[in-house]
Amino acid sequence: MTPPLLRAAALLALAVAPALAAADSDTLVTVRANQPGPVINRNIYGQFSEHLGHCIYDGIWVGPDSAVPNTNGYSNAVLAALKDLHVPLLRWPGGCFADEYHWKDGIGPMEKRPSMYNSHWGGVVENNHFGTHEFLNMCEMLGIEPYVCINVGSGTVQEAMEWVEYMTSDATSPMANLRRANGRDKPWKVRYLAIGNESWGCGGSMRPEFCADNFRRYNTFIKNYGGSPEDRIYRVACGASDEDYEWTDTLMKLAGRQMDGLSLHYYTIQTGSWEKKGSATHFTKDEYFETLGHTLRIEEFVTKHSAIMDKYDPKKRVGLCVDEWGIWTDVEPGTNPGFLFQQNSMRDAILAALNLHIFQAHADRVVMANIAQMVNVLQAMILTDHQRIVLTPTYHVFEMLNVHQGATSLPVELRTPDLAQSKEKIPTVSASASRDAAGKIHLSLVNTNPDAPTTVACTLVGAPLGAPTGRVLATADITAHNTFDLPHAVEPRAFTGATVSGDRLSIVLPPMSVVILEL
Ligand code: AHR
């Protein structure tokens, strides 16, 4: 074992784990059930859907006249898969698209809606058939919180103000009446609003000072309709990318008091180069480790951005919203480069679990995260081909770990060796624990080692240990993935590798696996 690495996954109690007599175990885990931490905001399991490639069209939305089985235009297969996933929150309509989107083009009779040129994504013509009603009705149908990103880059304050009135006002007012004329009487519940996207780049190439002032200006004119606290809109200011700490500092200094949340974007690129990002399914073991090394950098970014936020907001009122994250690879050969369609392997499942664990460890500040993107784009949950769909390994991780949604985090002390065969510093095991409203304690574990199983000696402090039950996602091949012809190659199965003896649990994690246990 290399020098022991002490990682308090929940970062709540840094006390050294008790000296466990576990000579045959590679990793020691102590879960402190008697020291509950912050609630894991369910929105950490949020998703992102942009008008990009086939995320919306031929993904979520096939149209009412399609041969693909659908309900009012939404693909039935996609709806069913999303229902099982318990998606808490969905960001829309972009991304870069949001800052060119004019919402009034997407309401009223479909055949009368004007088209627009989607300049960012493949130069295709957007027919605006999927607009405000189609998005919000879907969210309502699936019990998802909508998270709407308004156009700050090329829109106007008035446009933004009217959109909020259209969506959320129950008054006899011009925009609420327009909504009624378009067939929707009652307002929708829209709690989350992003004021622009990547304003430092595709959203307007702004300087942070200008972005902060602009946030304050838009914020002034966005009204809360309805009198209850739930009607208050949670306003997310446009935050930084990667390690742009100056951006966070300036936004917090100039607009921290006005905002509810501040965003952060970070994409994992295997090669570190945007020009040649690397393949989604053809990579070597070294490249697997390189990818995990890059993804783990998010822990440093979250920690440092949070520290800056602490300076201006020590009570942690403002939430950090990681509203774009995930792996970005080269597109699948032969597909439109502007559509960002990539396959999704077991490597991505490991990567997703590591990121979710990091967000959960920072649940005191991270209140939202949106993986990019939900269907057919980047690190997708679902891939579609007409009526056929594939659930990706990442989908399975989100489904397995969703027991942590809204649960109370429990501190985890972890002693695990770094993987010796990797040039990157990759801890063998990652762990996260929580207690849900029914009192059930869940522990999720990741073995990053693709070559060997690893044994975890686990102690649960402050709660009785029952006979654990669980599920595992694991494959022998690092590039394993699901296809339309072989959709079940990577799927969770029952886990039988946990045994209790006395107050100790011994868990054998298969190579390259994600395990969820109910203790
Ligand atoms: O998710 C794809 C794009 O990545 C988004 O449109 C943009 O915000 C980011 O750069």
Side-chain angles (χ1 to χ4, degrees), residues 47-53 55-57 60 90-103 106 116 118 120-121 126 128 130-132 135-136 139 146-152 163 167 192-194 196-197 324 373 377:
Q47 300 278 336
F48 173 30
S49 57
E50 181 166 11
H51 288 239
L52 193 178
C55 182
I56 303 288
Y57 300 107
I60 297 167
L90 183 57
R91 182 171 183 250
W92 174 84
C96 295
F97 179 81
D99 281 294
E100 297 191 352
Y101 181 64
H102 298 283
W103 69 272
M116 70 175 277
N118 190 335
H120 289 289
W121 307 121
E126 158 71 52
N128 274 311
F130 191 93
T132 302
F135 173 67
L136 295 177
C139 289
Y147 174 32
V148 175
C149 184
I150 61 169
N151 179 346
V152 167
W163 199 7
M167 295 187 286
Y192 296 92
L193 210 66
N197 167 72
E324 286 187 33
Q373 298 192 6
V377 171

Side-chain angles (χ1 to χ4, degrees), residues 61-139:
W61 178 260
V62 291
D65 302 327
S66 172
V68 176
N70 69 85
T71 304
N72 302 329
Y74 309 99
S75 156
N76 286 347
V78 172
L79 283 185
L82 293 178
K83 208 164 180 195
D84 292 343
L85 200 54
H86 298 295
V87 177
L89 173 96
L90 183 57
R91 182 171 183 250
W92 174 84
C96 295
F97 179 81
D99 281 294
E100 297 191 352
Y101 181 64
H102 298 283
W103 69 272
K104 282 188 183 161
D105 295 346
I107 55 171
M110 278 184 194
E111 62 288 356
K112 291 207 179 130
R113 296 185 190 177
S115 300
M116 70 175 277
Y117 177 66
N118 190 335
S119 76
H120 289 289
W121 307 121
V124 293
V125 174
E126 158 71 52
N127 64 17
N128 274 311
H129 283 189
F130 191 93
T132 302
H133 289 246
E134 290 71 30
F135 173 67
L136 295 177
N137 287 345
M138 179 184 79
C139 289

